[in-house]
Amino acid sequence: MSYFNHHQHRKDYIILLIIWLIALAIDRAWFLLDESIPSYDQSAHLTTALHHYRIFQNLNIFSGNWWLSLWQLTPSYRAPFVYICTVPFLILFGRGYDQASLVNLLYTAMIILSVYHLSNFLFQNRKISITASIFCLLFPILGIMRTDYLLDYGLTAIVAVTFTVLTIWKDSYIGFFSWGLTIILGVGIGLILLAKPTGIIFILVPSIWALISFIRKRKFIKLIQTCLSLMIAWLICRFWYGLNWLTIITSALNANQAGKGEGDPSATTIAGWLYYPQMIPESVGLPIFSVSIGILLVYLIKYQFTTDLIPGYVYKSARIWLLVTLVSSYIICSLGTNKDIRFILPCFPIISLILADLFNLIENIYFDRLRLATLVLSCIVLLNNLFPLPLIQAWGGKHLPNNDGNKYPLGKLINQITEKNLYLRSNLGVIPVSIPQVNEFTFNYFGALADFRVYGRKLTTKLSQIEEDLQYFCWYVTRENESYKPGEKGETKRKLKSLVESSTDLKLEGDWILPNEDKLRLYNCKNPHVVVQKLSNTESVINIEKVAISQELILDKNNPVTYQITGSWDDLQNGLLLLKWQNSQSSWDHDHAIGLGNLYCGIKCHPQGTFRVKEALATFIPKTLPVGRYQLSALYLDRRNSKITSLNIPDITVNVTDLGTVEKSPALDLVTRTSQLAQDLQQGKLKNIFVQIYNFNQYDPTQDYLKQIEFAGNYHLQKEPDNLNWRYTLVLSQLLQRQVPELIQNLIELTKYDAQNPYTWLYLAFVYLYNFQPAQAEQKLAIAEQLKPDIPELKTLKTVTNIMKFLPLIHF
């Protein structure tokens, strides 16, 4: 490379830096003016980013459990790449919305540099390269996405980098440079898959095209490099996909179904195929789009449609390469039911190159002036989209900063809860009909900002579940002057609001006026199920100082019981009570974490001294137990080291009878509820299980009850390996936590103790398939079929097994 070229590249990098700095100035000015509350999706993404920030507070890359907990944070198609990228910005600058959005500056730099180098390689024309980079600054759609926090902009950045590397790599000569690009390409593909699983569609067709070219031209080294890139990509993303692949598929299918509910046009209609093309002019800006197309028409007329339109083979192949990539991406995206302009955002760096090429087709002073005027006008259009400028309204006002955030008292409401519950994690039942500023996602986000001390959860939309939901929440928020849509959902919301506001068991903790003169009301239980009190004494040994329970307990009922436990904060927070009511013949367990696992005052909060925890719970006595007298025994299990300590407790004896009724009782703890579901699991009744588990995960937003089951179950099964109820309960816990190796081992043990149950073999086969072990699954399915050949799921699992074994469909 000559000194002149090197000098030009240095000048170009300075220009690119200026472009990036302009983007920085515009974006930060927007965030400086904006004080809005993040809406639904933004709040959900920001909350997930904060949970990633939280897990990186205890970074341990050499721990398998740390990696497992990291990958478990994103079980759906919303992959972790963008959230992980955000963590350093949260650590350096703070945990707010503005600070999280700083990650977009990184993505902007990636896009600008990628487009510049891609254009340089394809067109060998620095004017086109600089123009394309400027377009990435000026496109209104990219400007809007830069001033937001969604996954799509990060996906666009990594797709742009990877596509650039792919383009240069496919034509690179064999050598150190080519092998280096091979590694970078593999990393890029892996990160695309970790940014959003559907992101791969934007480089799928060009990748296949390149691969076919290698095969046709017998470029064996390139084929080896292709295999290496794919191996690297799989190494990067395999653990997340291996853990979450099933939930990724189901959540993606549900998202696609959501498009139908929103009225998006399908691929079977002309509107479905015109949806994205008709949005392109406005998305790139009418000045850029109109002038680029106009210059193309003038160029065609000038050369009278001669065949020598494109000077040089490089330009021709470059244009075909870009068009094939763009058109293939458009076709695949249009096939989907759920449509939104941001879903094709990774296409816009390619569009910027194509338009930059057209924009510079004709070289003369008049067109140079036209181009300069177009860029100035496009800058005005961009600013008019982002700021309240008194300009052409048809081109503006798409994403204006909003200063009404301070008028919504979400932060004050969350503070009211944390001040009331200094030592407890709180779960807030959100009743209001969702509006962008007031919904379960925004409350959940503000709760995460408050050191993860409050979680916002949506209450049921089914009339049949109202009473159950009201048992498991102690905090509620309602909104005055709501209107409800006809149907069950609207009626459920109306009834929930009425029951909460009229309940004698709740008290009004505060109310706040909204900008539209509506009022938010916060309600709390008068007698919470768990109360934590700081004591003045220094005695810190774990002790059950009191158990309050009726002398007469009723079989097959929820019987009220109150436990009062004292000890140090760390012991209480990390403690599990293994409680057994027993006589010489039989027993029932009431195992649970102290405070139901909700003792929490912040990430780094470890208060000193002694605390008292009072639990007002219910214990359920199985109807299979014989009546008679039962005595309580108690063990303390330390979750930090699994150490068991026997507890001295008052002499508590109760009489169990099958006569009488229980007037009123607290809700059962979720460990007991899950234990009851284990009976359905043993009988293959799965439908009810997953409905109930969804509710449980609302009631315990951290899903700590699954950890409680894991510790308690492992302890009991060491003593009673043939205890089927604990084994099936542990299966549910391990399944929901996606602990595949442990789950397989537990199911293998179950096949020994419940060998004649076909569902046990079926579950084991399913987990083997989940773990991509079809040969092992096939053996277990054969046993299940022998025991009960008419199980409906058998045929489906056998089909999946054969697909995984690459067997032809004729064998089914």
Side-chain angles (χ1 to χ4, degrees):
M1 180 180 293
S2 66
Y3 172 78
F4 176 78
N5 287 335
H6 179 67
H7 181 65
Q8 288 293 348
H9 277 293
R10 288 181 60 187
K11 287 178 60 179
D12 288 352
Y13 285 132
I14 293 174
I15 295 172
L16 295 179
L17 177 61
I18 292 171
I19 294 171
W20 181 82
L21 289 173
I22 293 172
L24 182 151
I26 294 173
D27 299 351
R28 289 302 101 193
W30 191 93
F31 279 105
L32 186 65
L33 295 173
D34 181 69
E35 296 176 356
S36 63
I37 292 174
S39 189
Y40 309 96
D41 284 351
Q42 291 84 348
S43 291
H45 291 306
L46 288 163
T47 303
T48 308
L50 286 171
H51 281 289
H52 282 75
Y53 160 85
R54 181 182 186 180
I55 204 169
F56 273 89
Q57 298 299 299
N58 298 305
L59 177 65
N60 187 357
I61 61 174
F62 300 107
S63 168
N65 288 332
W66 184 87
W67 285 104
L68 178 64
S69 60
L70 175 66
W71 301 136
Q72 284 178 333
L73 288 175
T74 46
S76 74
Y77 66 93
R78 292 175 166 176
F81 171 74
V82 170
Y83 306 127
I84 293 173
C85 287
T86 308
V87 169
F89 294 90
L90 298 178
I91 293 172
L92 291 173
F93 302 105
R95 295 182 290 174
Y97 184 14
D98 291 8
Q99 291 84 353
S101 67
L102 286 168
V103 71
N104 288 342
L105 295 174
L106 170 65
Y107 301 143
T108 300
M110 292 167 64
I111 292 171
I112 291 172
L113 284 170
S114 299
V115 165
Y116 171 80
H117 285 289
L118 180 60
S119 179
N120 262 357
F121 181 79
L122 291 176
F123 297 105
Q124 300 176 8
N125 185 320
R126 54 186 296 271
K127 191 173 183 180
I128 294 176
S129 302
I130 296 296
T131 302
S133 297
I134 294 174
F135 282 178
C136 288
L137 166 68
L138 297 179
F139 282 179
I141 183 61
L142 293 180
I144 290 170
M145 296 305 296
R146 285 197 303 271
T147 51
D148 212 333
Y149 186 85
L150 296 165
L151 301 186
D152 307 275
Y153 197 58
L155 174 65
T156 301
I158 193 61
V159 168
V161 171
T162 306
F163 180 69
T164 300
V165 173
L166 171 67
T167 304
I168 299 172
W169 167 79
K170 73 180 179 65
D171 293 328
S172 63
Y173 294 107
I174 307 303
F176 178 78
F177 179 68
S178 180
W179 285 100
L181 288 178
T182 300
I183 296 171
I184 297 172
L185 178 62
V187 172
I189 295 172
L191 293 180
I192 287 175
L193 291 169
L194 279 183
K196 205 173 185 181
T198 53
I200 200 66
I201 66 178
F202 297 101
I203 64 166
L204 180 63
V205 171
S207 298
I208 294 173
W209 184 10
L211 181 60
I212 292 172
S213 174
F214 298 155
I215 296 172
R216 185 170 55 85
K217 296 178 181 179
R218 298 183 179 180
K219 293 184 176 181
F220 298 113
I221 299 297
K222 282 294 181 185
L223 291 174
I224 294 172
Q225 290 181 341
T226 300
C227 293
L228 176 60
S229 281
L230 294 176
M231 288 173 61
I232 293 171
W234 181 239
L235 285 173
I236 288 173
C237 66
R238 68 178 291 269
F239 294 105
W240 183 71
Y241 278 91
L243 185 66
N244 300 299
W245 68 269
L246 186 58
T247 51
I248 293 168
I249 292 172
T250 54
S251 60
L253 291 174
N254 289 337
N256 204 39
Q257 289 297 317
K260 295 180 180 179
E262 294 170 1
D264 291 344
S266 71
T268 59
T269 64
I270 295 176
W273 290 99
L274 293 179
Y275 184 88
Y276 289 122
Q278 67 186 6
M279 298 180 77
I280 297 299
E282 185 180 25
S283 299
V284 302
L286 281 174
I288 290 175
F289 184 80
S290 302
V291 171
S292 298
I293 299 300
I295 292 176
L296 173 63
L297 294 175
V298 171
Y299 181 78
L300 293 174
I301 294 170
K302 179 180 178 181
Y303 286 92
Q304 298 179 349
F305 296 92
T306 62
T307 57
D308 190 25
L309 290 178
I310 305 170
Y313 173 76
V314 173
Y315 279 59
K316 180 179 179 180
S317 61
R319 287 164 174 158
I320 293 173
W321 174 251
L322 294 175
L323 284 172
V324 166
T325 302
L326 179 61
V327 171
S328 63
S329 300
Y330 151 72
I331 291 173
I332 297 173
C333 289
S334 295
L335 290 173
T337 303
N338 200 7
K339 292 182 173 66
D340 191 292
I341 189 62
R342 61 189 175 91
F343 294 162
I344 64 162
L345 200 69
C347 291
F348 283 92
I350 306 298
I351 293 173
S352 76
L353 275 171
I354 294 172
L355 292 180
D357 177 28
L358 303 181
F359 198 68
N360 291 284
L361 275 176
I362 299 176
E363 294 288 346
N364 65 47
I365 188 172
Y366 300 106
F367 279 91
D368 286 344
R369 292 173 181 173
L370 174 63
R371 281 186 278 268
L372 180 60
T374 302
L375 294 178
V376 172
L377 185 57
S378 296
C379 185
I380 294 172
V381 170
L382 171 67
L383 295 175
N384 199 36
N385 268 277
L386 296 177
F387 300 98
L389 305 179
L391 301 175
I392 304 173
Q393 294 303 308
W395 290 357
K398 305 300 181 186
H399 190 55
L400 301 179
N402 194 320
N403 62 359
D404 68 353
N406 291 331
K407 300 176 184 178
Y408 286 89
L410 274 63
K412 295 178 181 177
L413 187 148
I414 295 296
N415 288 338
Q416 180 84 4
I417 297 174
T418 57
E419 288 172 7
K420 185 77 174 181
N421 282 1
L422 287 175
Y423 301 108
L424 279 173
R425 180 188 292 112
S426 303
N427 200 19
L428 175 65
V430 181
I431 297 176
V433 175
S434 292
I435 59 175
Q437 298 84 6
V438 182
N439 55 75
E440 65 273 19
F441 300 107
T442 53
F443 278 116
N444 200 38
Y445 170 59
F446 276 88
L449 285 176
D451 219 1
F452 307 95
R453 293 177 60 192
V454 179
Y455 288 78
R457 286 296 180 266
K458 181 180 180 180
L459 293 185
T460 183
T461 57
K462 296 182 179 180
L463 285 168
S464 60
Q465 296 178 359
I466 286 178
E467 293 299 329
E468 180 181 311
D469 268 27
L470 292 178
Q471 281 188 309
Y472 281 95
F473 286 87
C474 215
W475 289 94
Y476 303 89
V477 59
T478 67
R479 183 163 64 94
E480 198 176 59
N481 300 326
E482 287 202 73
S483 59
Y484 301 99
K485 295 181 180 179
E488 184 181 17
K489 290 184 179 180
E491 177 61 20
T492 302
K493 286 286 187 182
R494 185 199 62 76
K495 189 173 181 180
L496 277 168
K497 179 175 182 286
S498 174
L499 287 172
V500 165
E501 294 184 340
S502 62
S503 174
T504 57
D505 295 328
L506 300 174
K507 59 181 176 180
L508 181 66
E509 286 288 349
D511 52 34
W512 296 267
I513 301 296
L514 296 175
N516 61 358
E517 301 304 319
D518 275 356
K519 185 180 290 186
L520 280 183
R521 294 192 178 98
L522 177 66
Y523 292 87
N524 183 27
C525 295
K526 291 180 180 177
N527 299 300
H529 299 150
V530 178
V531 176
V532 183
Q533 178 186 3
K534 196 175 190 307
L535 303 179
S536 58
N537 61 56
T538 58
E539 178 64 39
S540 61
V541 177
I542 284 287
N543 177 42
I544 298 180
E545 63 178 7
K546 184 178 180 182
V547 178
I549 191 169
S550 172
Q551 292 298 305
E552 294 283 336
L553 302 186
I554 313 299
L555 282 175
D556 200 28
K557 299 292 182 181
N558 299 345
N559 295 269
V561 57
T562 299
Y563 303 107
Q564 197 163 287
I565 311 103
T566 58
S568 70
W569 174 259
D570 286 344
D571 287 343
L572 291 169
Q573 188 182 44
N574 293 286
L576 209 68
L577 293 180
L578 304 178
L579 305 176
K580 186 179 289 291
W581 296 86
Q582 60 188 336
N583 58 24
S584 58
Q585 297 176 324
S586 53
S587 65
W588 82 89
D589 298 317
H590 195 200
D591 303 341
H592 61 274
I594 298 173
L596 300 180
N598 289 320
L599 302 187
Y600 179 78
C601 57
I603 297 176
K604 298 180 179 179
C605 176
H606 299 282
Q608 301 301 309
T610 304
F611 290 80
R612 174 183 290 132
V613 178
K614 183 179 179 181
E615 306 171 340
L617 310 179
T619 183
F620 179 81
I621 308 174
K623 63 181 177 180
T624 55
L625 260 62
V627 297
R629 299 190 68 78
Y630 289 78
Q631 188 172 25
L632 177 65
S633 64
L635 299 174
Y636 171 82
L637 190 157
D638 193 330
R639 293 206 241 188
R640 294 165 292 187
N641 52 27
S642 296
K643 183 180 177 181
I644 301 290
T645 305
S646 180
L647 297 178
N648 293 322
I649 60 172
D651 185 10
I652 304 293
T653 303
V654 296
N655 184 52
V656 173
T657 179
D658 56 359
L659 301 175
T661 59
V662 179
E663 289 187 5
K664 190 174 183 181
S665 170
L668 283 177
D669 60 277
L670 297 182
V671 175
T672 303
R673 291 285 304 274
T674 309
S675 176
Q676 293 174 340
L677 290 181
Q679 299 170 22
D680 288 344
L681 183 69
Q682 186 174 4
Q683 299 168 19
K685 300 175 182 177
L686 301 180
K687 185 175 182 180
N688 177 57
I689 289 177
F690 291 108
V691 171
Q692 292 299 317
I693 289 297
Y694 173 81
N695 292 338
F696 294 176
N697 291 343
Q698 295 291 93
Y699 306 151
D700 182 354
T702 63
Q703 281 84 67
D704 187 70
Y705 74 99
L706 298 174
K707 287 291 183 184
Q708 297 173 37
I709 291 170
E710 180 185 343
F711 280 101
N714 284 327
Y715 167 77
H716 286 294
L717 291 173
Q718 287 176 2
K719 306 290 184 181
E720 308 171 73
D722 58 346
N723 188 321
L724 293 183
N725 188 259
W726 267 115
R727 283 219 175 268
Y728 280 104
T729 305
L730 188 58
V731 164
L732 278 174
S733 169
Q734 292 166 335
L735 176 66
L736 295 169
Q737 294 181 85
R738 286 157 288 156
Q739 297 173 334
V740 177
E742 296 87 349
L743 178 57
I744 289 175
Q745 186 58 44
N746 188 22
L747 285 168
I748 289 174
E749 291 297 312
L750 255 177
T751 59
K752 298 176 184 177
Y753 299 111
D754 201 14
Q756 296 306 307
N757 185 347
Y759 296 105
T760 303
W761 298 97
L762 201 69
Y763 300 149
L764 181 55
F766 170 79
V767 178
Y768 274 131
L769 289 175
Y770 184 88
N771 205 37
F772 298 97
Q773 295 175 274
Q776 290 88 334
E778 188 175 40
Q779 299 170 9
K780 312 310 174 188
L781 288 173
I783 298 173
E785 190 171 26
Q786 287 178 356
L787 293 170
K788 191 176 181 181
D790 60 345
I791 299 177
E793 293 81 8
L794 261 174
K795 184 178 179 181
T796 302
L797 291 179
K798 288 172 68 177
T799 301
V800 173
T801 302
N802 287 330
I803 291 173
M804 284 191 173
K805 292 176 65 181
F806 301 103
L807 291 178
L809 291 176
I810 194 172
H811 286 190
F812 289 1

